[in-house]
């Protein structure tokens, strides 16, 4: 029954895609740096625009793509945001948001996203996770059945000063983080993976 509901929703919202204008990197914090200039790659998934394998999708191994990026002398702390601009909603779905990534860290792997303890939002990689749409550490891609290809952006943002520790541990949401980084963005880049789910 759920599959039929998804198919109906896909048909109803077949033209509701491409919320690029509401992406995280279009918020006021990026006014001075509107274009990505940081090279971000995914060693395990492939080049920008690569098709995500089933292991990286919801319902399978739920793996987070390995990401690597260049260092930058002006960065005191990194921020990582994952979002789907093709979901049939007014704004992109936030699949994950990660704060307080140390400036010397320029690579994340799946094990970095393991929780340290149940009562904390601190992760094994030495950073914190914020609130995504489903209340989890990471929501793996799960586009609507037959809704076509969805893009998934993994945005790495360099900040010129660390965010407040209390703020990082408060599990802030996308909008709160966007406001908190105003005046702090010095560089950013993104890697994009894509996938779709078809009725079989």
């Amino acid at each position: 029954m759920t599959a039929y509901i998804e198919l109906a929703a896909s048909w109803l919202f077949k033209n509701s895609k491409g919320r690029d204008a509401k992406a995280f990197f279009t918020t006021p914090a990026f006014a001075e740096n509107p274009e990505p200039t940081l090279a971000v790659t995914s060693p395990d998934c492939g080049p920008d625009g690569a098709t995500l394998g089933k292991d990286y999708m919801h319902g399978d191994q739920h793996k987070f793509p390995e990401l690597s990026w260049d260092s930058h002398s002006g960065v005191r702390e990194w921020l990582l945001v994952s979002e789907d601009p093709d979901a049939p909603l007014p704004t992109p779905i936030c699949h994950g948001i990660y704060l307080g990534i140390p400036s010397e860290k320029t690579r994340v792997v799946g094990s970095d996203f393991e929780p340290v303890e149940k009562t904390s939002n601190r992760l094994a990689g030495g950073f914190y996770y914020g609130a995504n749409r489903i209340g989890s550490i990471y929501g793996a891609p799960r586009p609507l059945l037959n809704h076509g290809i969805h893009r998934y952006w993994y945005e790495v943002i360099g900040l010129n000063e660390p965010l407040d520790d209390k703020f990082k541990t408060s599990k802030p949401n996308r909008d709160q983080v966007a406001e908190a980084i105003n005046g702090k963005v010095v560089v950013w880049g993104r890697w994009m993976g894509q996938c779709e789910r078809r009725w079989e």
Side-chain angles (χ1 to χ4, degrees):
M1 180 63 72
T2 302
Y4 289 108
I5 293 173
E6 278 197 59
L7 288 171
S10 292
W11 182 81
L12 285 170
F13 300 111
K14 60 184 178 182
N15 296 319
S16 298
K17 295 175 72 175
R19 307 303 191 192
D20 301 35
K22 297 291 184 68
F24 186 78
F25 53 80
T26 66
T27 58
F30 294 82
E32 299 297 320
N33 297 278
E35 298 298 327
T37 56
L38 181 72
V40 182
T41 60
S42 179
D44 59 343
C45 289
D48 187 57
T51 298
L52 295 170
K54 289 186 177 181
D55 289 352
Y56 297 87
M57 295 175 64
H58 179 85
D60 209 282
Q61 294 187 39
H62 209 82
K63 292 173 66 176
F64 196 101
E66 181 179 329
L67 300 173
S68 180
W69 59 91
D70 296 334
S71 60
H72 191 282
S73 59
V75 172
R76 298 281 306 283
E77 190 171 88
W78 297 102
L79 170 70
L80 172 60
V81 177
S82 172
E83 57 183 351
D84 170 10
D86 294 317
L89 294 170
T91 58
I93 286 181
C94 179
H95 284 257
I97 189 161
Y98 310 97
L99 311 91
I101 301 174
S103 59
E104 65 273 13
K105 189 175 180 69
T106 57
R107 178 174 175 261
V108 292
V109 297
S111 58
D112 285 332
F113 298 89
E114 295 295 327
V116 173
E117 55 186 49
K118 292 182 179 180
T119 58
S120 170
N121 67 327
R122 185 172 174 82
L123 299 174
F127 49 89
Y128 302 84
Y129 71 94
N132 66 6
R133 186 172 178 83
I134 60 175
S136 64
I137 294 174
Y138 173 59
R142 189 184 185 278
L144 282 173
L145 277 171
N146 284 11
H147 196 243
I149 293 173
H150 279 217
R151 297 163 295 159
Y152 293 87
W153 288 330
Y154 296 82
E155 303 150 10
V156 178
I157 301 131
L159 308 178
N160 60 13
E161 63 179 77
L163 294 172
D164 180 76
D165 286 342
K166 287 185 178 179
F167 179 75
K168 287 183 282 195
T169 59
S170 69
K171 203 181 291 185
N173 62 31
R174 179 184 186 271
D175 292 342
Q176 291 169 326
V177 173
E179 184 176 352
I181 65 172
N182 249 326
K184 296 181 173 65
V185 175
V186 292
V187 68
W188 71 280
R190 70 173 182 241
W191 177 84
M192 186 264 286
Q194 58 183 342
C195 64
E196 65 177 318
R197 293 170 61 235
R198 295 182 178 180
W199 176 265
E200 296 179 355

